[in-house]
């Protein structure tokens, strides 16, 4: 597609349930990033992928969070046993390669707004 | 550790000039980027400085001083549509570290 897409756009779930968030990056972009943004806050880095590998998982808040990427394209962020503090906007971005130069602009998707009741 | 500091909020009137500062502490620094985010929207790329000096893109300019670990975004001829949050981000290693954002409100 023309841009990064994410689904669902909104998700309301009950505490304790598992959720899956999907990101479809721009075709040809090898790097993919997940961020979390709480209301009125900055972007909190969660994880990034280069191809299907995740060299840096240091931002994942707990072992309830996991992510995978298959075929160098679509990525899924899974949150198990959701808690109310997981409520936030989850943003995905993709770039041609890893951060480090002007050609590595990150293009963001519209985000998934997660509300845990 | 890594940290970025920018003002939480800035206000200005249409037609004015505003400067948003960003100071950072990081290892493995490659460059400083700026992103704009309208309420309810996704961040979009504005500019990047890999070297010291000023980069100009239309009404927006960005500056970097690596020796001072400091940069700024300069917005000229402000328009109402410029009301948004602005994030500085440092390229460190393989990822971008974002600041907490500066909310710019432009008044008529």
């Amino acid at each position: 597609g023309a841009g990064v897409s994410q689904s669902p756009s909104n998700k309301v779930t009950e505490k304790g349930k598992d959720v899956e968030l999907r990101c479809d990056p721009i075709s040809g972009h090898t790097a993919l990033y997940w961020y979390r943004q709480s209301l009125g806050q900055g972007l909190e880095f969660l994880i990034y992928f280069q191809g299907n590998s995740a060299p840096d998982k240091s931002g994942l808040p707990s072992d309830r969070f996991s992510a995978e990427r298959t075929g160098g394209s679509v990525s899924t962020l899974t949150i198990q046993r959701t808690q109310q503090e997981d409520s936030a906007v989850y943003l995905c971005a993709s770039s041609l390669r890893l951060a480090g130069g002007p050609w590595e602009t990150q293009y963001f998707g519209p985000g998934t707004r997660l509300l845990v009741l | 550790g890594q940290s970025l500091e920018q003002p939480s909020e800035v206000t200005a009137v249409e037609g004015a000039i505003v400067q948003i500062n960003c100071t950072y502490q990081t290892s493995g620094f490659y460059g400083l980027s700026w992103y704009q985010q309208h309420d309810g929207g996704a961040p979009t790329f504005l500019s990047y400085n890999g070297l010291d000096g000023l980069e100009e893109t239309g009404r927006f300019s960005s500056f970097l001083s690596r020796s001072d670990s400091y940069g700024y975004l300069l917005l000229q001829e402000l328009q109402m549509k410029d009301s948004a949050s602005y994030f500085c981000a440092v390229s460190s290693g393989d990822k971008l570290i974002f600041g907490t954002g500066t909310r710019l409100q432009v008044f008529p």
Side-chain angles (χ1 to χ4, degrees), chain A residues 24-108:
Chain A
D24 208 333
I26 293 172
S27 178
H29 280 194
T30 58
L32 185 147
Y33 306 80
W34 283 99
Y35 297 89
R36 179 169 70 174
Q37 187 175 33
S38 300
L39 188 63
Q41 299 299 309
L43 282 77
E44 176 188 3
F45 168 81
L46 298 178
I47 188 172
Y48 88 85
F49 291 89
Q50 176 61 17
N52 293 332
S53 299
D56 189 345
K57 303 179 182 180
S58 63
L60 293 176
S62 74
D63 58 8
R64 296 185 296 105
F65 288 72
S66 63
E68 64 175 12
R69 189 179 185 195
T70 55
S73 182
V74 172
S75 176
T76 302
L77 177 69
T78 301
I79 309 174
Q80 296 179 308
R81 304 181 303 281
T82 52
Q83 303 294 311
Q84 288 181 332
E85 61 262 29
D86 298 335
S87 297
V89 177
Y90 289 81
L91 290 160
C92 172
S94 69
S95 67
L96 278 172
R97 49 172 284 187
L98 297 176
W103 54 88
E104 289 144 351
T105 299
Q106 292 192 13
Y107 297 86
F108 284 81

Side-chain angles (χ1 to χ4, degrees), chain B residues 72-108:
Chain B
Y72 65 73
L73 179 68
L74 189 73
L75 299 88
Q76 303 182 70
E77 301 173 16
L78 282 174
Q79 301 175 9
M80 295 294 291
K81 66 178 182 180
D82 297 330
S83 293
S85 292
Y86 293 83
F87 295 89
C88 59
V90 294
S91 298
S92 176
D94 295 333
K95 59 192 179 188
L96 282 180
I97 307 298
F98 284 82
T100 52
T102 298
R103 186 172 181 83
L104 170 64
Q105 293 191 55
V106 180
F107 294 97

